[in-house]
Amino acid sequence: MRAPHPRRARRRASAARAALAAALTLVLAAACGGGSDSTGPTGQESSSGTAAAEGGTLRVGVPSLSTSDSLDPAAATTTGGYVIARQLFDTLVEYGTGGQVAMRLAESMEPDPADASSWTVVLRDAVWHDGTPVTADDVVATVQRWFSEQLPPASSLPFIDPARVTVVDEKTVHFQLGYPTMTFPDALTSPTTAIVPASFDPATPIGSGPFKLGAMEPGTRVTFTANDDYFVEDEPYVDTLEVISFPDSTSEANALIGGQIDVASAIDPTLIPIVESGGDGFDVFEYATTGTLTWQMNVEQEPFDDPRVRQALRLAVDRDQIVEQVYAGHASVGNDVFGPTDPAYDDTLAQREQDLDKARALLAEAGYPDGVDVELTAAPIQPTATRQNEVLVQQAAEAGFRITFNEVDSATYYGDAYGTYPLSLSFWGFLSIFDQAAFTIVDNAPYNATHWQDDEYNALYQQAVRTVDDAERTELVHQMQAIEYDRGAYVVAVFLNSITAHSTTVTGFEAYPNSDGPVGYNFSSLRFDG
Amino acid sequence: MTTTSLRRGTAITLALSPVARYVLRRLLLGVAMLFVVSVVVFFFTQALPGDVARQVLGQTATDDQVARLREQLGLDRGVVAQYLDWIGGLVTFDLGTSLTSGTPVADLVGTRVANSATIVVLTAVILIPLAVALGVAAARSPGGVVDGVVSGSVLLILALPEFIIAILVVVLLATNVWRLFAPTSILDPAVPAWEQPDLLVLPVLALVIGSLPYFTESIRTTMTDELTSEHVTWARLCGVAERRILWRHALPNAVGPGLQVAGTTLIYLTGGIVAVENVFAFPGVGSALTAAVANRDIPVVQAIAMLLATVALVVYLVADVLGILLTPRLRTALT
Amino acid sequence: MSAVATQLVRRPSVVAGTLMTAATLFVAFAGPALAGSPDEFVGAPFQGPGGDAPLGTDVMGRSVLARLLAGGRDFLLQGILAAALGVGAGVLLGVALASASRRVADLVLSLNDTVIVLPQIVIALLVLTRLGATPLTLVLVVGIVHVPQSARVVRAATQRVVTQDYYDSARTLGASRRRLFTGEVLPNIAGVVLLELSIRLAISVVVLASLSYLGFGSTDTQWGRMIHENQGGLTIQPWAVLAPVICTGVFLIGVNLLRGGTVRALAVR
């Protein structure tokens, strides 16, 4: 069962970097090879024009819908809410098939060339589900809505001043920011920033997205019908989309093999052989993502207040063993820094390997020659979370960490005690490096359960988000990542693969490495073949 | 119940038979019990860690926003005031509003209750006659073929957790061996459950297989006790035919305990389908309950708890009353 | 009593039951000493039997055999303790109810029935969510859940005894309360109590496994947890699930055989 919370924690990406198409990207592309259908990063619309059968009802299994699923994208905090938002609405931009920012409802998004203190967005020609055109007025109304008191806080869009978002012409909006930042486009990739009509009513949600809302049975299933006027040619391919909730991967895989669904998303990696045992009619679409189950070391408490103890735990972790034993090989190792698809990601940092002698030495140096007791608090927020924690307990024991694993349910985990755990495991990713920092690392980051603060890092961050030049900014980001690598408080051990099992009659799968969900929840490109 | 109806009830009782008086007393007791249950359920659910306001708003929420939502949801008031509000609603059949979805609890769980009720009733309809027949047959000829088969299969099945049976049933009949039935019960919410029988086959089968042993065993033991009791032995010695002994001497006295067991089994089914619903992804009351506990959707948890308690109360009442009516000794004991 | 003992030893079901129960208990209690490390990785996840893993590997590539040996003791202990706790309290309560004065019995009975109608799964979920699933909370929750049911069954059986002619005659003959209890009631409800105990043991083990399946098991190595964490791989590495299922099953079958044979031996007497 997947809990809604980690996603909520990722809401509203706020970060910089616009039309930069730098080189350092596809660290993950190498790891993508594990997929049985590795689809290269092609354009989102590359599928149009192929000879595929139109129509039909596509049934997609997801773990799990909830009664909290919102029809209002700005209020979405759950998997189901994100699924719904991606079908009914469009964001201005999205993380595309290479994990880079790509245009969606926007035709272009350009910064003030001098200092990124303002941004200009031009909309493409699109219509709402009721046939009226999407206009700049709608965008302005949507932005103002984000700051409404009735909705969850927009605190991760600190640079947007709703009073200074103005209509230039029918298709053009101008954002005068509170302060210059290159994180602007990243902030607008999150499904919670989907654009809605000025007259939006969540009870009858009208959007511009590939599907219209059919029937909704909260927590069980949501049905969508095709929007024939969608701006991407030929999409959506199917007439009807049914998103069906399953309590776990096993029942979802069973439903696939039994022919009750066509696509089973977010399959537990150890269950891949089960789908393969189902016969020739099934296949697995898999790609590496930036999603990670990350350990958070609380620097406000012993023993992780000492950077040597933090490095010791990082050195105690055998990342390859986690990939092999917990993920059956269907994951890639992490290097204690986030954002491997980000163009500014530093892939020159030496891959951290397990070094028990060094770990023990660091512990002794920090005053724990006989080892140290630590409590790990975590919830089963992903199918593999408990297993990953069990492996940590075991691996760290060899270095002298006596970890007590306290498993709680996710509502307890994210309750009032969140942020007070000495050691905990959370789900992060699907963000730019700047967003990740804004959420979990820099000064006043809202979800920083480690409470780690570093003045040098904060200064670099403030400088980097204001730097328009790609090369210069990349250099600053490298310095930030080097600091995290040397003295940070996260153990980023693995990046998860997105694993989608499906009937071979369904085609059109594409990798969205920096987007949450199977194929980034872009179900409109899926179609029945033959 | 109003005072006038209570008074009228008492007046009628005076004129009624002892059995009717007993039933009325049990009904009044039942209402009192439900109040006790409501208190326990309410305070148990209040004690859950975590806060729904924070759940709904997310981690970014400021304390102000959390406070405002708590006020909107009425969570800022005293626990007693909240309880009185809730119980006041229950009395007028208002189950409250789901905190997470904002829809009335009745709308949210209505379909799921109907779904679960469908498989429980179907299971009971198959289970009860089957278990009684097997139990009586086994008790009549100890060591016979039926007894042997019953003992053997009972032993085997009693040794398997229900969800294992469910998983095995899926492997055998739906996915890997034969693909005869649908492996999961993803019911179309627009159509009543009983109109989708193909999706109900496996859960009902798993439940029947899973609860047959306890029920059969209990019937067999009760019948064996009766058939070896002194009055039956006396009847045998007096030359009464075996068939007559079974129908006139043993069965009537076994009905009371048998009904108790039937009641227990039914309650067990109602509460125990949680794991089975999970295996089949069945949209029932059990999965609604686990989801509501996980989301801290307290009104839904409370509504389901009260519903299950009411069902249990009614089932036991019926079992007891029928037991008394049908057991000669107990019936006369009342007068 | 020696007649009963003879009856017991003569019954194949009693002998077989004793053997099966004893064998499982031996595996469970000696296992932790015999087992290699239950946490060591010996291969890829869900590999079939062979090499370092005679029963194959589990969901994380650990030896199923090593975990099987390590995981029986705590699991069975929890089941046994929960059943003993529940039925023990249930017998006391049930007999007391059947022999107490009408007024007291009515009061306690309605309280007992109130507890019965509380949906047990709800209570279990709430308590375990609140307190966390530890061996202690699991035993208490599962055990206490048995009490009202056992009390009800025992009371029904005791009532049947007290409405029998022989009980009436014993009482008319002036037998003391204590004598009535030990001489008439206990022997006549012994079958029901044994039946109840074995059934409650079976239910305890099943409930513990089911709670584990729903994510409410304790996190140490246990048969219940093994079933839970490996159930997804049933079709590719059946031993990871079937090994603990079979061990639990043999134990339960043994207990049930023993109970069945004993009940019949007592009935013959």
Side-chain angles (χ1 to χ4, degrees), chain A residues 141-152:
Chain A
T142 302
V143 174
Q144 275 157 1
R145 204 173 165 267
W146 293 338
F147 293 86
S148 147
E149 296 230 312
Q150 305 308 313
L151 287 167

Side-chain angles (χ1 to χ4, degrees), chain B residues 302-327:
Chain B
Q302 290 168 339
I304 292 175
M306 288 309 291
L307 177 86
L308 294 179
T310 311
V311 168
L313 197 72
V314 170
V315 167
Y316 282 129
L317 179 68
V318 170
D320 282 357
V321 170
L322 282 179
I324 283 172
L325 287 178
L326 299 175
T327 311

Side-chain angles (χ1 to χ4, degrees), chain A residues 488-511:
Chain A
Y490 291 97
V491 185
V492 184
V494 286
F495 291 103
L496 280 56
N497 283 6
S498 167
I499 302 169
T500 302
H502 61 91
S503 155
T504 47
T505 58
V506 183
T507 60
F509 292 93
E510 286 176 286

Side-chain angles (χ1 to χ4, degrees), chain B residues 33 44 47 147 155 158-160 163-164 167 176 214 217 220 230 260 264 271 278-279 305 309 316 320 329, chain C residues 113-114 116-117 119 121 127 130 149 152 163 166 199 213 227 231 234-235 245 249 253 256-257 259 264:
Chain B
M33 281 162 62
F44 258 115
D147 189 28
L155 275 174
L158 205 54
L160 292 174
F163 70 93
I164 290 286
I167 293 170
N176 293 70
Y214 178 57
E217 269 292 272
R220 195 246 304 264
E230 290 180 29
Q260 300 272 359
T264 311
N278 199 65
V279 173
Y316 282 129
D320 282 357
R329 225 168 243 283
Chain C
D113 288 356
T114 310
I116 284 188
V117 301
I121 186 73
V127 170
R130 175 77 188 85
Q149 303 282 1
R152 214 179 151 91
T163 54
Y166 57 77
I199 284 171
Y213 172 76
I227 298 171
Q231 58 107 359
L234 183 65
T235 53
V245 166
I253 291 176
N256 287 328
L257 278 174
R259 184 251 313 157
R264 281 171 212 198

